[in-house]
């Protein structure tokens, strides 16, 4: 491997932010329909957008640090993201009481959202690779 | 398209002439492009000796500690040119920048593989692997018309 420096641009984090916000909103809508989450309104959604944006910003800053493996990056993203959700959601916006049940639910929701957003980017990358590999084969014919 | 090949015993240098319309079709333009790429050369040194390298034989070019190297199947050559100069010079060829320090010859590419950190990994015909940074993926795709 010749190149190890990361080079994701701010736009990549913005896209990740949009995907995360959409997924979390969708999951919360389902939980709201099931009456597990109550009082879901526009204020909470705006707070949620702020929360996902702060997480993306922190991930962007963390990305400036040289991380040499994908799993370390994944774990660092999960840990700092979970901490931010708990701090912003629990302490600043008071979305949930500090009880084990709610904390667990929030952590699970965050992990699901994070992994789906990560997965979407992997799928996008895989599609690009397949297209290029097909072109390489075509050029050889 | 018609192809005429004249073989002569007393021929000292191969001459390729393409006769076509000023607005040639895509196939002809591609042929011209391929011939130009095939014949293009770059000067580089190895062990103090200067060599003329055919562009098609270079797998990739890399900048290391402000020095530029060309990698072929067998050897590594050093160039006086900077990577950005090469990038400009080779803009219309099958060479493309894939990271801050590497320009790749896409004709020497075996395949690409997606990585878990949103980058691509280029597998070359000589077995080497290079990383394609996300920032350069758009230009890389454009070379393949994707």
């Amino acid at each position: 491997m010749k190149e190890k420096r990361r080079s994701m641009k701010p736009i990549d984090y913005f896209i990740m932010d949009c995907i995360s916000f959409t997924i979390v909103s969708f999951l919360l809508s389902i939980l709201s329909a099931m009456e597990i989450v109550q009082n879901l309104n526009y204020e909470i959604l705006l707070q949620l957008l702020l929360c996902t944006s702060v997480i993306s910003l922190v991930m962007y800053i963390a990305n400036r640090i040289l991380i040499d493996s994908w799993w370390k990056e994944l774990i660092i993203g999960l840990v700092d993201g979970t901490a931010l959700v708990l701090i912003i959601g629990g302490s600043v916006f008071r979305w949930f009481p500090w009880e084990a049940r709610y904390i667990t639910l929030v952590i699970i929701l965050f992990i699901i959202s994070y992994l789906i957003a990560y997965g979407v980017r992997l799928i996008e990358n895989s599609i690009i690779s397949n297209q290029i590999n097909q072109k390489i084969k075509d050029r050889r014919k | 398209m018609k192809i005429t090949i004249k073989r002569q015993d007393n021929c000292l240098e191969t001459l390729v002439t393409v006769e076509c319309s000023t607005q040639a079709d895509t196939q002809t333009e591609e042929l011209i492009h391929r011939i130009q790429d095939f014949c293009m050369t770059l000067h580089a040194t190895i062990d103090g000796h200067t060599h003329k390298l055919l562009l098609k034989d270079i797998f990739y070019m890399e900048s290391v500690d402000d020095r530029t190297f060309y990698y072929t199947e067998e050897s590594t050559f050093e160039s006086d040119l900077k990577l950005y100069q090469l990038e400009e010079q080779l803009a219309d060829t099958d060479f493309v920048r894939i990271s801050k320090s590497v320009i790749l010859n896409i004709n020497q590419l075996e395949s690409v593989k997606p990585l878990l950190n949103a980058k691509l990994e280029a597998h070359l015909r000589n077995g080497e692997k290079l990383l394609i940074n996300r920032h350069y993926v758009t230009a890389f795709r454009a070379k393949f018309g994707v």
Side-chain angles (χ1 to χ4, degrees):
Chain A
M1 294 285 160
K2 303 286 180 190
E3 174 71 24
K4 292 195 185 303
R5 189 73 202 165
R6 323 230 68 242
S7 70
M8 274 174 69
K9 292 192 293 181
I11 186 71
D12 295 319
Y13 291 91
F14 176 72
I15 292 167
M16 210 170 207
D17 182 18
C18 294
I19 295 170
S20 308
F21 176 67
T22 308
I23 294 163
V24 176
S25 304
F26 175 70
L27 290 173
L28 280 177
S29 304
I30 292 171
L31 292 174
S32 181
M34 292 163 70
E35 295 183 354
I36 296 170
V37 170
Q38 285 157 3
N39 304 324
L40 184 64
N41 55 40
Y42 77 92
E43 269 183 40
I44 291 178
L45 286 176
L46 288 175
Q47 289 169 356
L48 197 67
L49 178 62
L50 182 71
C51 188
T52 55
S53 301
V54 170
I55 292 168
S56 297
L57 183 68
V58 170
M59 284 173 70
Y60 173 70
I61 294 164
N63 196 249
R64 304 285 96 192
I65 305 163
L66 188 64
I67 303 168
D68 56 5
S69 68
W70 70 269
W71 63 267
K72 278 184 197 165
E73 182 193 337
L74 183 71
I75 289 170
I76 289 169
L78 276 171
V79 170
D80 61 24
T82 307
L84 281 169
V85 168
L86 291 174
I87 293 165
I88 297 172
S91 301
V92 181
F93 295 134
R94 302 190 183 282
W95 290 336
F96 52 87
W98 283 96
E99 290 171 22
R101 176 174 173 249
Y102 292 103
I103 292 170
T104 310
L105 185 66
V106 168
I107 290 173
I108 290 170
L109 271 178
F110 175 76
I111 291 173
I112 291 171
S113 309
Y114 186 88
L115 292 178
I116 292 174
Y118 202 86
V120 167
R121 295 192 59 218
L122 290 183
I123 291 167
E124 181 198 12
N125 214 21
S126 177
I127 291 168
I128 292 169
S129 298
N130 288 339
Q131 288 175 333
I132 293 170
N133 285 331
Q134 189 55 51
K135 288 282 178 181
I136 293 170
K137 280 182 190 169
D138 293 345
R139 284 166 75 102
R140 285 190 195 154
K141 282 177 188 170
Chain B
M1 187 188 296
K2 289 179 182 173
I3 296 175
T4 308
I5 300 168
K6 290 180 184 172
R7 294 178 191 273
Q8 294 171 335
D9 289 336
N10 57 349
C11 181
L12 297 173
E13 190 180 11
T14 305
L15 173 72
V16 179
T17 308
V18 180
E19 282 184 23
C20 63
S21 157
T22 47
Q23 290 179 329
D25 57 26
T26 319
Q27 196 184 12
T28 310
E29 287 296 349
E30 197 178 328
L31 177 70
I32 296 167
H33 178 73
R34 291 280 172 128
I35 293 168
Q36 283 172 335
D37 274 11
F38 191 85
C39 299
M40 200 169 164
T41 56
L42 286 171
H43 288 91
T45 56
I46 185 169
D47 300 327
H49 298 283
T50 303
H51 295 260
K52 204 157 100 173
L53 293 177
L54 278 171
L55 208 57
K56 69 176 185 66
D57 293 332
I58 300 171
F59 278 65
Y60 64 98
M61 301 157 172
E62 186 180 31
S63 173
V64 182
D65 297 332
D66 225 20
R67 294 166 72 191
T68 308
F69 298 95
Y70 301 153
Y71 298 87
T72 63
E73 177 112 51
E74 304 280 322
S75 313
T76 302
F77 297 83
E78 188 168 355
S79 168
D80 291 335
L81 296 170
K82 299 285 178 196
L83 214 58
Y84 75 89
Q85 293 173 313
L86 287 164
E87 192 181 15
E88 284 171 9
Q89 202 175 320
L90 304 174
D92 296 327
T93 67
D94 284 335
F95 280 73
V96 63
R97 186 85 165 241
I98 59 164
S99 69
K100 201 176 168 185
S101 59
V102 177
I103 294 175
L104 173 72
N105 180 359
I106 60 168
N107 293 316
Q108 299 294 359
L109 199 58
E110 187 70 43
S111 64
V112 290
K113 187 182 150 192
L115 295 179
L116 289 166
N117 54 7
K119 289 180 180 178
L120 296 176
E121 189 178 67
H123 290 222
L124 308 192
R125 287 183 177 179
N126 63 354
E128 275 198 74
K129 294 172 188 173
L130 297 171
L131 286 182
I132 304 165
N133 267 335
R134 200 171 166 75
H135 180 68
Y136 299 95
V137 167
T138 309
F140 182 72
R141 288 170 70 180
K143 283 284 176 191
F144 291 94
V146 173

